[in-house]
Amino acid sequence: QVQLVESGGGLVQPGGSLKLSCAASGSIFQINVMGWYRQAPGKQRELVGSINNLEHTNYVDSVKGRFTISRDNAKNTMYLQMNSLKPEDTAVYYCKANTPWEGYWGQGTQVTVSS
């Protein structure tokens, strides 16, 4: 079992920045990939980006150059640094941890980009 807790969401103006955190606990040694997803009202949940155990990252085209995923293994925490935020980035952001057998989700954190 893996438990995930996101934090760092909030209200930000267009062009601003936010940094989300995802703290993992439990059987973290089994995790091979972690990712950030988001779900806007009325839309399906989409992958924002991911990071594997080799620190390789990938991102959806809409956030490339603006968002950065990183990990602090000493703190068992994954981060999503979001810069140059746009209103269309408004969504609930979720982190996910994958093991070879199962995927685990956090509870989500709201990000609202509005003036």
Side-chain angles (χ1 to χ4, degrees), residues 36-47:
W36 285 99
Y37 290 73
R38 65 185 180 186
Q39 187 167 19
K43 294 187 176 181
Q44 290 188 332
R45 191 172 298 188
E46 67 169 351
L47 175 65

Side-chain angles (χ1 to χ4, degrees), residues 62-82:
S62 60
V63 307
K64 283 180 180 177
R66 300 188 299 123
F67 290 11
T68 302
I69 296 174
S70 61
R71 290 169 61 159
D72 184 335
N73 293 325
K75 296 182 178 180
N76 300 323
T77 300
M78 175 180 64
Y79 303 98
L80 178 65
Q81 176 66 48
M82 304 184 292

Side-chain angles (χ1 to χ4, degrees), residues 13 29-30 57 94 101 104 109 114:
Q13 292 186 341
F29 62 93
Q30 297 179 342
T57 57
Y94 300 88
W101 307 278
Y104 299 89
T109 185
S114 175

Side-chain angles (χ1 to χ4, degrees), residues 5-10 19-23 36 77-78 93 107-109:
V5 178
E6 301 101 333
S7 61
K19 187 174 185 177
L20 306 184
S21 300
C22 173
W36 285 99
T77 300
M78 175 180 64
Y93 283 71
Q107 83 287 353
T109 185

